[in-house]
């Protein structure tokens, strides 16, 4: 197994995490070494059971990080390159891989090549880096889309990726990957892999033919939004048929690649706020950590953080809060939901084959689901009950033994308590 098959990511949005200013610092302002705050959280990452730190944007930007102005310079609101490299080194010493967020579909208007175009027009040597109409990204006036048909843009992106891989990171999350021509990604990933064959690339993709996109781009993985939506929607609606359908599609993806799975990220309402019933947070986490894929935990979700994303200026603030200096100062630290994360992540780490495991549904009703997950000779059983009454479920015949949750197992099924769940080994 390659190292990404063992990866369990803890995903953080740095500018929010450290409580940085909303806008870029004035030119000439000394950097503020706020990245050091992450150093105090690395033990928490390890104790949670994770072995990867997936960082949101860390490069110089105008506001929220996705309007990058210099991919080679650390945002002064976070610190200096030395601060970032110290964090990478500290993570490495604890066995924690580091993933960077690469925003290569668009740039901020302060990006030097675009500023040159804005000043010189067609006389700028960078004019071909941008489209003739200087189009923006999805209606965001401050985000100018790069022209990915221009070879120099591919050279630039390749250079950025290799620069930071040389400095110790392990891979890239590729923002808005769905909006970039697939051949561009293939050109870049092929060139980067010549020097860094073990680098991991995960593309942000919302919908579409995930497996074909992975094959055409050279990505290792994509964000599994289909499964994310099916998890919370099926729990809210009492409709496990939606989840079963998504798990069938998930199985077909696993034939080709291991999707990046999640319950939360910096772009969506927190799972604790998304779910109608608090007890369903446990069901959601059980599903995430028992199905195939490369899972990530969005920082704060392990404590039950709430936050609703709103479509307005500042609408992401609630899901991107500042964190205290130390984990034990965080509301929810050591509470049952935090401990459940440790329990289930620990179970997953004891069964690393789960990254490629496919799901087989045994019992399916609107509110009751049992399934097995297996890879080769390995197998686990999972039972979920949303009802306020006990439920009887069937399972393939085996000597099932409960290893997490609460249920009474027999050789061919289980009795699951009201709103309960359990995981069993044969």
């Amino acid at each position: 197994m390659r190292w990404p098959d063992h990866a369990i990511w803890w995903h953080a949005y740095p500018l929010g995490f450290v409580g940085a200013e909303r806008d870029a610092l004035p030119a000439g302002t000394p950097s503020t070494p706020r990245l050091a705050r992450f150093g105090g959280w690395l033990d928490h990452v390890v104790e949670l059971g994770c072995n990867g730190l997936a960082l949101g944007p860390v490069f110089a930007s105008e506001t929220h990080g996705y309007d990058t102005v210099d991919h080679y310079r650390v945002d002064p609101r976070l610190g200096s390159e030395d601060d970032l490299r110290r964090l990478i080194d500290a993570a490495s010493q604890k066995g924690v891989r580091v993933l960077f967020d690469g925003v290569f579909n668009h740039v901020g208007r302060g990006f030097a090549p675009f500023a040159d175009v804005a000043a010189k027009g067609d006389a700028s040597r960078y004019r071909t880096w941008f489209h003739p109409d200087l189009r923006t990204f999805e209606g965001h006036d401050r985000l100018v889309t790069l022209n990915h048909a221009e070879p120099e843009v591919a050279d630039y992106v390749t250079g950025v990726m290799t620069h930071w891989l040389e400095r110790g990171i392990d891979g890239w999350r590729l923002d808005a990957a769905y909006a970039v021509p697939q051949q561009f990604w293939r050109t870049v990933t092929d060139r980067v892999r010549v020097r860094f064959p073990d680098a991991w690339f995960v593309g942000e993709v919302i919908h579409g033919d995930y497996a074909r996109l992975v094959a055409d781009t050279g990505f290792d993985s994509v964000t599994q939004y289909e499964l994310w939506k099916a998890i919370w929607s099926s729990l809210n609606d009492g409709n496990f048929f939606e989840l079963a359908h998504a798990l069938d599609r998930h199985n077909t993806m696993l034939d080709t690649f291991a999707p990046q799975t999640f319950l939360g990220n910096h772009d969506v309402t927190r799972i604790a706020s998304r779910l109608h019933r608090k007890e369903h947070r446990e069901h959601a986490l059980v599903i995430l950590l028992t199905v195939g894929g490369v899972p990530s935990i969005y920082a704060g979700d392990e404590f039950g953080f709430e936050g609703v994303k709103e479509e307005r200026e500042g609408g992401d603030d609630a899901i991107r809060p500042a964190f205290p200096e130390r984990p034990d100062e965080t509301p929810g630290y050591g509470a049952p939901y935090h401990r459940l994360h440790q329990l289930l992540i620990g179970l997953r780490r004891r069964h690393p084959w789960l990254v490629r495991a496919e799901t087989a549904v045994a019992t399916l009703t609107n509110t009751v689901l049992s399934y097995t997950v297996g890879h080769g000779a390995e197998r686990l059983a999972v039972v979920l009950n949303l009802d306020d009454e006990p439920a009887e479920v069937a399972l393939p015949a085996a000597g099932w033994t409960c290893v997490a949750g609460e249920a009474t197992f027999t050789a061919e099924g289980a009795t699951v308590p009201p709103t309960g769940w359990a995981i069993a080994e044969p």
Side-chain angles (χ1 to χ4, degrees):
M1 297 174 74
R2 295 178 59 229
W3 72 261
D5 286 345
H6 296 275
I8 300 176
W9 298 98
W10 191 71
H11 170 207
Y13 174 76
L15 290 168
F17 189 94
V18 304
E21 297 87 350
R22 185 182 296 274
D23 297 317
L25 300 176
T29 305
S31 63
T32 305
R34 293 188 174 107
L35 281 170
R37 181 171 302 189
F38 279 102
W41 282 77
L42 290 175
D43 285 340
H44 168 77
V45 173
V46 174
E47 290 165 3
L48 195 62
C50 298
N51 58 358
L53 174 61
L55 292 172
V58 296
F59 306 129
S61 73
E62 295 174 335
T63 57
H64 46 57
Y66 291 94
D67 46 2
T68 314
V69 297
D70 189 344
H71 297 85
Y72 288 98
R73 182 164 62 94
V74 177
D75 196 301
R77 293 172 288 172
L78 297 174
S80 65
E81 180 170 337
D82 286 343
D83 295 322
L84 183 56
R85 293 180 71 171
R86 276 192 287 270
L87 174 59
I88 295 169
D89 290 344
S92 179
Q93 290 169 12
K94 294 182 181 294
V96 175
R97 304 271 183 171
V98 176
L99 188 75
F100 271 9
D101 199 338
V103 188
F104 301 123
N105 174 66
H106 49 268
V107 294
R109 289 184 174 272
F111 182 58
F114 183 75
D116 193 74
V117 171
K120 300 176 183 176
D122 290 346
S124 170
R125 69 167 301 273
Y126 299 106
R127 185 62 186 85
T128 57
W129 283 40
F130 306 93
H131 296 278
D133 58 359
L134 300 180
R135 69 190 62 165
T136 57
F137 175 60
E138 296 183 351
H140 299 284
D141 183 60
R142 301 296 302 176
L143 304 179
V144 185
T145 304
L146 290 164
N147 175 17
H148 298 95
E150 168 54 55
E152 288 188 8
V153 172
D155 294 342
Y156 177 80
V157 173
T158 301
V160 171
M161 285 190 180
T162 55
H163 175 86
W164 292 105
L165 287 163
E166 287 170 351
R167 283 152 180 78
I169 72 165
D170 298 280
W172 288 92
R173 173 197 178 270
L174 301 171
D175 183 68
Y178 58 86
V180 176
Q182 294 176 11
Q183 184 53 51
F184 175 87
W185 289 128
R186 170 60 74 177
T187 297
V188 170
T189 57
D190 282 354
R191 290 166 63 181
V192 174
R193 286 193 198 280
V194 170
R195 293 188 54 198
F196 298 96
D198 292 330
W200 191 65
F201 301 115
V202 54
E204 182 197 15
V205 178
I206 310 300
H207 49 70
D209 187 339
Y210 291 176
R212 172 63 65 86
L213 189 142
V214 166
D216 291 347
T217 58
F219 295 165
D220 296 283
S221 186
V222 296
T223 51
Q224 224 302 32
Y225 269 93
E226 287 187 14
L227 182 62
W228 163 78
K229 192 269 180 184
I231 291 173
W232 60 259
S233 180
S234 65
L235 294 173
N236 280 345
D237 296 344
N239 179 17
F240 271 140
F241 288 91
E242 178 184 359
L243 178 61
H245 176 74
L247 289 172
D248 281 343
R249 285 182 52 82
H250 194 65
N251 283 343
T252 64
M253 297 174 202
L254 288 160
D255 292 336
T256 305
F257 71 101
Q260 194 261 307
T261 57
F262 59 95
L263 296 178
N265 62 36
H266 66 291
D267 276 333
V268 300
T269 289
R270 292 266 184 184
I271 190 66
S273 295
R274 178 77 72 174
L275 293 172
H276 298 333
R277 297 183 63 173
K278 187 174 182 178
E279 57 267 35
H280 290 169
R281 295 182 307 169
E282 296 190 10
H283 297 93
L285 190 64
V286 169
I287 297 164
L288 174 70
L289 292 173
T290 58
V291 301
V294 179
S296 71
I297 306 298
Y298 184 46
D301 280 359
E302 71 269 35
F303 305 126
F305 276 18
E306 296 182 355
V308 175
K309 177 184 174 68
E310 299 178 12
E311 297 301 328
R312 59 173 178 80
E313 184 74 21
D316 293 318
D317 292 353
I319 61 174
R320 304 174 180 180
F323 280 62
E325 293 285 345
R326 294 169 24 188
D328 60 6
E329 298 172 345
T330 310
Y333 180 84
Y337 195 51
H338 176 201
R339 295 196 298 271
L340 181 62
H341 276 75
Q342 293 175 309
L343 172 70
L344 294 177
I345 294 172
L347 183 146
R348 190 177 184 93
R349 292 187 67 79
R350 292 191 300 275
H351 299 86
W353 51 268
L354 279 167
V355 69
R356 303 283 174 177
E358 296 192 0
T359 305
V361 172
T363 297
L364 174 61
T365 73
N366 281 335
T367 56
V368 177
L369 178 67
S370 68
Y371 60 85
T372 57
V373 285
H375 183 71
E378 304 286 356
R379 191 165 55 158
L380 291 175
V382 179
V383 296
L384 304 165
N385 178 17
L386 305 184
D387 282 338
D388 293 322
E389 301 292 334
E392 301 292 330
V393 300
L395 289 169
W400 298 110
T401 301
C402 186
V403 294
E406 295 183 2
T408 303
F409 285 87
T410 66
E412 297 181 342
T415 302
V416 193
T419 65
W421 61 269
I423 303 170
E425 295 177 341

